[in-house]
Amino acid sequence: MYNIAVVGATGLVGQTMLRLLEEKQIPIANLTLFSSARSAGSQVSFNGENHVVEELTTEKTAGPFDYVLMSAGGETSLTFSPLFEKHGAVVIDNSSAWRMDPEISLVVPEVNPPSSNRKIIANPNCSTIQSVGPLKILLDAFGIERIAYTTYQSVSGSGWKGIEDLKRGERGEDPVNYPHPIYNNVLPQIDVFQEDGYTKEEVKMIEETRKILNLPTLPVTATCVRVPVTSAHAVAINVTLSEETSVKAIQSLFEASPYVTLEDEPEKGIYPMPLQAGGKEGIFVGRIRKDDSLPNTYHVWTVSDNILKGAALNAVQILQQLIS
Ligand SMILES: NC(=O)c1ccc[n+]([C@@H]2O[C@H](COP(=O)([O-])OP(=O)(O)OC[C@H]3O[C@@H](n4cnc5c(N)ncnc54)[C@H](OP(=O)(O)O)[C@@H]3O)[C@@H](O)[C@H]2O)c1
């Protein structure tokens, strides 16, 4: 039985992590729920009992906690994760704060188990997680020379405030979270722009892919786009392999893997879509085609629930891996 804290327990990811802790019957002795001052005092039901959410403060990091599931943004994590760690807890963090720290493991359990002595473990970016799942299968079988991503990311990727902006747009109101209306629109901007014209989200996908696949010099590029979908991200992956293969061979590998679900019968209209993948735990792949513009290059379309495998589920799977 473990003492577990969830930081960001009132957030979209935090709420989903709590549901998964229940569903997966994680053995919990004491559960402590933290938020900012804004939601402190609110009540959250867990395993049939009401828990009062507390404001996270420095003193409260002493716990004692065995595991802390952090889902409260980068700044909160930078301040509090090292304090939890100092007091002996293992922190699994959903923010981008620690992902590229060379001392910190960036983990998708089926791809790369934790490999560092630090007790902070980073959960990757949502679009990265659903991409490296199928890519790891291709890497092991054929090797990878290059990756180009285009993403179609749902508004829940921005937490409650993204969903609220979509609803505002439906009502004809101006956005609060996004720089332009997201309703009836597509925004080729996620996070802020850098000097080279890439957004931070695009840089995250590029750098995190290299780190997780342990290919530090791999050519990777990305265009990240916000679409007016509530739940589940789609990523069009264009991947150049090191060896010749075939669409059939790639489909067979995906079919045989427990980590992805192949939905690739385009003639019957069967391919992964957010409406079908939302609320499900898997990574769905389809539309596998040869790209004749480059040697050994293929298109893979992947869809997954960004709050589940893209965030809360991956974090809980890391916890399950550590416990087991
Ligand atoms: N949504 C996704 O698809 C996704 C995917 C991967 C990673 N993430 C990451 O997961 C984290 C949470 O995202 P979300 O989508 O759940 O956002 P959200 O719905 O906006 O929730 C944010 C949570 O953080 C809490 N919080 C904010 N400041 C805090 C502080 N100083 N101390 C303690 N708690 C604080 C909030 O508490 P209050 O209720 O008091 O405001 C709330 O519980 C972010 O770092 C995000 O980048 C999200």
Side-chain angles (χ1 to χ4, degrees), residues 20-238:
L20 291 170
L21 292 174
E22 276 182 334
E23 280 175 15
K24 303 203 179 288
Q25 300 180 355
I26 304 296
I28 299 179
N30 291 299
L31 178 70
T32 308
L33 305 182
F34 292 116
S35 70
S36 74
R38 197 179 71 90
S39 300
S42 60
Q43 299 214 349
V44 170
S45 166
F46 184 82
N47 277 343
E49 280 179 23
N50 273 347
H51 290 253
V52 177
V53 180
E54 303 171 36
E55 180 184 358
L56 179 60
T57 58
T58 305
E59 301 72 50
K60 289 181 184 166
T61 56
F65 301 115
D66 298 303
Y67 296 101
V68 177
L69 298 176
M70 285 284 281
S71 181
E75 276 179 40
T76 310
S77 182
L78 282 173
T79 307
F80 291 102
S81 293
L83 300 176
F84 283 120
E85 183 186 38
K86 197 179 87 186
H87 290 111
V90 173
V91 180
I92 301 168
D93 180 43
N94 270 289
S95 81
S96 59
W98 302 93
R99 290 177 189 157
M100 292 315 297
D101 185 320
E103 280 188 8
I104 302 292
S105 294
L106 180 63
V107 173
V108 179
E110 61 269 33
V111 176
N112 63 330
S115 58
S116 149
N117 291 329
R118 287 287 301 268
K119 287 187 156 194
I120 299 172
I121 296 171
N123 212 31
N125 170 277
C126 36
S127 302
T128 310
I129 293 177
Q130 73 181 69
S131 302
V132 295
L135 283 169
K136 170 69 170 157
I137 297 168
L138 298 180
L139 175 66
D140 289 347
F142 310 113
I144 290 180
E145 300 294 316
R146 165 201 155 269
I147 299 166
Y149 293 125
T150 308
T151 72
Y152 304 75
Q153 298 182 222
S154 70
V155 293
S156 60
S158 315
W160 289 119
K161 53 192 190 305
I163 295 176
E164 282 157 14
D165 252 15
L166 180 59
K167 289 184 179 159
R168 273 187 202 100
E170 284 169 345
R171 296 193 295 264
E173 296 168 18
D174 288 337
V176 172
N177 173 56
Y178 296 123
H180 303 283
I182 184 64
Y183 179 70
N184 252 342
N185 206 4
V186 158
L187 307 182
Q189 177 186 357
I190 300 182
D191 212 329
V192 292
F193 284 103
Q194 306 202 130
E195 260 179 30
D196 61 4
Y198 281 74
T199 60
K200 258 178 88 177
E201 183 81 354
E202 289 159 352
V203 173
K204 282 182 215 165
M205 275 201 87
I206 293 167
E207 291 182 341
E208 291 179 25
T209 297
R210 290 182 180 139
K211 180 167 176 175
I212 295 165
L213 297 180
N214 196 21
L215 296 170
T217 59
L218 183 72
V220 185
T221 189
T223 300
C224 292
V225 180
R226 186 76 66 196
V227 295
V229 166
T230 304
S231 184
H233 291 353
V235 182
I237 306 172
N238 184 268

